[in-house]
Amino acid sequence: MCGRYASTRSDSDLQAVFDIAETVGAEVPPSYNVAPTQTVRTVLERAPKDEPEADAVRQLRSVRWGLIPSWAKDAKIGSRLINARSETITEKPSFKKAASRRRCIVPADGYYEWEKRDGAKVPYFLHTEGVLAMAGLYELWRDPTKAEDDEDRWVWSVTVLTSPAADALGHIHDRSPVVLPPELRSSWLDPTVTDLGDVQDLLAAIPEPRLEPYEVSTAVNSVKNNSPELLVPV
């Protein structure tokens, strides 16, 4: 799974890497210990708000980590849906509609995972060169407690897709995020691809990520800790 990650790139960096045309929401401060329910940056393609029939544009947008299905009664369910198994997103009610129409990328420097060792959980940081483009799904949820004219009545949320970990990483944890190589990012974001069979084909084409893991301090265990020292190898 992916329950914590680091994201320290500026908006200008992400705009260059992902060829962003429109930026929505305030810039999110760098974080070395991103945790569920926090606000994160995502990359997605969507028609402009005031021109729903226009061609989609690539956006960098702030959303909440932990997907809230459109049918949810409240936002609490989001804390349980920070990850989605890529093998079942085209079947599960919580993810099926988003898999068809609302795919996105969650940029990261890398993510943390904990290996069970001698009765303890040892944290690792897994990364690669450049920005890690984790495949995700996003959703819009109407908050019933807010007025119709409240600009915050719509909550945008995201989940990170996971898949069985490659053998080289399986000793740390049996799941890892789905990482999109540059040549598949546009296809993944394309909102005109709506057939779930085509989505499954997209997922099948994504290769196993080549990630480098190294052990880090147990300071990352607490979300209160958030500094560059968390990324220093032990």
Side-chain angles (χ1 to χ4, degrees), residues 201-224:
D201 290 341
L202 280 174
L203 288 167
I206 299 172
E208 293 181 351
R210 296 184 178 181
L211 304 177
E212 294 292 332
Y214 61 81
E215 187 177 338
V216 293
S217 167
T218 55
V220 72
N221 294 355
S222 173
V223 296
K224 295 179 181 179

Side-chain angles (χ1 to χ4, degrees), residues 134-150:
M134 301 189 294
L137 306 175
Y138 73 95
E139 190 57 271
L140 285 78
W141 176 73
R142 170 72 164 86
D143 187 341
T145 68
K146 296 186 181 297
E148 188 66 31
D149 59 353
D150 190 329

Side-chain angles (χ1 to χ4, degrees), residues 14-227:
L14 296 176
Q15 288 161 359
V17 170
F18 294 104
D19 194 23
I20 300 297
E22 181 181 21
T23 301
V24 183
E27 185 162 5
V28 177
S31 177
Y32 297 88
N33 199 1
V34 181
T37 74
Q38 293 180 351
T39 299
V40 301
R41 280 304 211 187
T42 58
V43 178
L44 56 93
E45 291 188 2
R46 192 175 178 89
K49 180 179 179 181
D50 299 326
E51 302 176 71
E53 301 303 318
D55 291 338
V57 297
R58 187 165 296 184
Q59 299 180 349
L60 181 66
R61 179 182 282 270
S62 296
V63 303
R64 170 177 165 157
W65 186 16
L67 189 136
I68 309 169
S70 59
W71 43 261
K73 293 182 179 180
D74 58 53
K76 294 179 181 178
I77 190 175
S79 63
R80 304 196 302 273
L81 299 179
I82 63 170
N83 291 155
R85 287 178 173 258
S86 59
E87 306 97 306
T88 57
I89 59 168
T90 59
E91 304 167 5
K92 297 289 186 180
S94 297
F95 307 118
K96 190 174 181 179
K97 288 185 178 179
S100 172
R101 300 179 180 276
R102 290 181 288 278
R103 298 179 300 277
C104 64
I105 291 173
V106 181
D109 298 348
Y111 71 99
Y112 299 99
E113 196 55 85
W114 283 258
E115 177 189 17
K116 293 181 180 178
R117 188 198 303 168
D118 299 327
K121 291 186 176 181
V122 180
Y124 283 79
F125 184 67
L126 298 94
H127 68 105
T128 188
E129 278 192 37
V131 179
L132 207 63
M134 301 189 294
L137 306 175
Y138 73 95
E139 190 57 271
L140 285 78
W141 176 73
R142 170 72 164 86
D143 187 341
T145 68
K146 296 186 181 297
E148 188 66 31
D149 59 353
D150 190 329
E151 293 183 356
D152 296 326
R153 68 187 183 281
W154 288 102
V155 179
W156 293 64
S157 60
V158 68
T159 189
V160 174
L161 303 193
T162 67
S163 62
D167 289 345
L169 304 176
H171 71 284
I172 299 175
H173 196 274
D174 62 349
R175 310 276 310 172
S176 66
V178 174
V179 178
L180 292 159
E183 65 272 17
L184 293 180
R185 293 172 186 173
S186 292
S187 297
W188 179 253
L189 294 175
D190 186 353
T192 67
V193 177
T194 59
D195 182 82
L196 292 175
D198 292 338
V199 175
Q200 290 176 326
D201 290 341
L202 280 174
L203 288 167
I206 299 172
E208 293 181 351
R210 296 184 178 181
L211 304 177
E212 294 292 332
Y214 61 81
E215 187 177 338
V216 293
S217 167
T218 55
V220 72
N221 294 355
S222 173
V223 296
K224 295 179 181 179
N225 297 324
N226 194 338
S227 68

